[in-house]
Amino acid sequence: MKYLKKWYINLSIQRKILYCTLGVALVVLLAASVSQYMSASSIVTEQTRKQSAGVVNELSVNLDHYFDMVRNSFEYIANNNTVQEELESDEPYKSDGTELYSYYSRSGQIRRLLLQGYTSIYMNDIQLYGYNGANHLLANNHEINENTAQTSCELAEQAKGRCIYYNASEEGLMYMAKQIKDSLTMKPVGILRASIKLSYLKK
């Protein structure tokens, strides 16, 4: 340190001014670089946040539209005359999902209605259950969890015609259900339920 001090004292005035100018310029340049880096980093972070928020918002809107579509499908099926007739019939149709349906039969028409709500990759199964014993089922596997079915049906009954959601995380599914009422008397006649894969919703 003493050697450096002695070396600086022995310098000419021109060199002292030159070195001081270079030192100040270096400090200013370093400060400007840090300031510019912080400013650029802040801009990039803000833009990334905005883009991420936009993507999340778009996905959220798409998911809302998907559930709106499912709810509309539920309303359409629940208010269908053929479904109402089936759920009030003295001879309802019972199915495990394997029988053949005549195209013009009541059960055939109901199967086509259920298929309209079963076209999404989110959907795992869909079932129309009548208090009169009617049972129409479209499923990937024909194993229905009785506890989940009972819980979702009870929630649908409590909702009195509104669509409900039941998270069955242990099954990796979320259930959607709606109590169906007679369009004239408003008497409950059955329940429509569907399961949606949580893995797809998380994606």
Side-chain angles (χ1 to χ4, degrees):
M1 190 68 182
K2 289 181 179 180
Y3 174 79
L4 186 61
K5 184 177 180 181
K6 184 179 179 181
W7 170 81
Y8 182 76
I9 291 174
N10 292 331
L11 288 175
S12 63
I13 295 178
Q14 292 86 351
R15 290 209 170 196
K16 287 180 180 178
I17 293 174
L18 176 63
Y19 288 144
C20 286
T21 303
L22 289 175
V24 171
L26 184 62
V27 171
V28 171
L29 181 62
L30 182 62
S33 298
V34 171
S35 175
Q36 188 175 12
Y37 172 79
M38 295 298 292
S39 176
S41 176
S42 176
I43 292 173
V44 170
T45 301
E46 182 64 18
Q47 290 300 318
T48 302
R49 186 193 66 78
K50 287 181 179 179
Q51 289 178 2
S52 300
V55 171
V56 171
N57 183 65
E58 185 176 347
L59 292 173
S60 177
V61 169
N62 288 340
L63 193 58
D64 287 342
H65 288 168
Y66 169 73
F67 279 109
D68 285 341
M69 180 191 72
V70 177
R71 281 193 295 271
N72 290 338
S73 177
F74 267 42
E75 295 291 343
Y76 177 71
I77 294 172
N79 295 324
N80 184 271
N81 292 333
T82 304
V83 171
Q84 298 282 333
E85 182 182 347
E86 170 72 3
L87 297 184
E88 293 179 319
S89 172
D90 292 332
E91 296 182 359
Y93 187 85
K94 296 181 181 180
S95 167
D96 63 359
T98 60
E99 291 88 345
L100 295 176
Y101 293 78
S102 167
Y103 186 86
Y104 294 104
S105 68
R106 191 169 61 205
S107 57
Q109 294 179 58
I110 291 175
R111 182 177 179 83
R112 290 193 295 278
L113 283 172
L114 295 183
L115 280 170
Q116 291 176 14
Y118 193 71
T119 54
S120 171
I121 58 171
Y122 291 108
M123 198 69 72
N124 191 57
D125 62 57
I126 186 167
Q127 180 182 29
L128 179 65
Y129 164 79
Y131 295 141
N132 62 349
N135 183 24
H136 295 263
L137 171 66
L138 293 174
N140 291 332
N141 56 36
H142 306 306
E143 299 176 4
I144 298 297
N145 187 310
E146 294 300 328
N147 291 331
T148 302
Q150 184 176 355
T151 301
S152 58
C153 288
E154 288 174 355
L155 291 172
E157 289 169 350
Q158 293 170 12
K160 300 183 183 301
R162 297 189 305 274
C163 285
I164 62 97
Y165 302 94
Y166 173 61
N167 190 338
S169 55
E170 66 281 358
E171 298 179 46
L173 300 171
M174 182 175 73
Y175 286 89
M176 191 172 177
K178 173 183 173 63
Q179 185 184 58
I180 300 176
K181 297 181 179 180
D182 179 84
S183 55
L184 295 177
T185 65
M186 297 306 291
K187 172 187 174 183
V189 290
I191 290 176
L192 177 64
R193 63 193 294 270
S195 62
I196 301 169
K197 297 177 182 178
L198 285 175
S199 59
Y200 285 105
L201 299 183
K202 288 178 180 178
K203 289 180 182 179

